[in-house]
Amino acid sequence: MWFIFIPILFSAVDLTSVDKFTGEWLPIVTFPNVVTYPICDKYNITIEKENACRCGDSTVPLIKSGKPLTDTPARSITMPTIIVESAEEVAAALEVKCKCGQEFTRQAVYRLINDNYFVVYEKLPQNFYGPEEPNTANLLVKNVETTADLKKVIDSISELKNRSAGIMCDPDKDYKKS
């Protein structure tokens, strides 16, 4: 039955809303907790609308996140991205198959929390699935606040507040505001 729902779900999101995810963002918390050292590098997120992919019955943009040269290894990721408006839409979006040219690829699911935070979800390998950890989730922030503020934000996101969190960049200890 959700096959009928999926096209409506993803086509309802205006593609111009993808622009809200552009700019510099700092991955600050990861779920589940797999972090072993602080990583405090901002990523520049850009949209490649002309190289769109098919995900289910919808066309979605490629979103590229790249990190400037720092003392941590440079990393750039480009993948098709499905944008959802609620946590209830994430699981179904992660099951949609995407095709970019001849290649089937993994996709990310983005959900804007507010103008300062968004979550990017990806599927976990099958042996990690469970009710507490149904996917990977990374919380990104545009303007870094305090650790106390960060914890309030995590507690306000219902699908993340009870999960094992790994703080990648502690605003009070690790992040050097420039």
Side-chain angles (χ1 to χ4, degrees), residues 24 26-28 38-42 70-71 141-147 168-178:
E24 285 192 338
L26 177 71
I28 198 156
I39 306 168
C40 290
D41 296 329
K42 284 196 170 189
T70 61
D71 52 353
V141 63
K142 192 164 264 207
N143 297 305
V144 179
E145 299 168 350
T146 65
T147 302
M168 294 189 280
C169 186
D170 187 319
D172 296 340
K173 297 176 186 171
D174 304 320
Y175 187 68
K176 314 287 188 277
K177 295 179 184 174
S178 35

Side-chain angles (χ1 to χ4, degrees), residues 88-105:
E88 293 76 25
E89 298 169 299
V90 172
L94 287 171
E95 295 303 319
V96 173
K97 300 291 183 206
C98 293
K99 185 176 182 178
C100 302
Q102 299 297 337
E103 180 182 338
F104 281 90
T105 183

Side-chain angles (χ1 to χ4, degrees), residues 62-132:
L62 284 169
I63 293 186
K64 181 177 185 176
S65 60
K67 161 167 98 164
L69 294 177
T70 61
D71 52 353
T72 56
R75 186 170 176 201
S76 177
I77 302 167
T78 303
M79 66 175 57
T81 303
I82 298 170
I83 299 169
V84 297
E85 293 183 15
S86 71
E88 293 76 25
E89 298 169 299
V90 172
L94 287 171
E95 295 303 319
V96 173
K97 300 291 183 206
C98 293
K99 185 176 182 178
C100 302
Q102 299 297 337
E103 180 182 338
F104 281 90
T105 183
R106 71 181 207 217
Q107 78 271 11
V109 174
Y110 278 30
R111 185 167 86 82
L112 195 65
I113 303 300
N114 58 40
D115 288 341
N116 199 42
Y117 288 94
F118 82 91
V119 181
V120 59
Y121 302 88
E122 288 186 72
K123 285 183 89 166
L124 274 172
Q126 197 166 9
N127 57 336
F128 287 103
Y129 282 101
E132 296 83 27

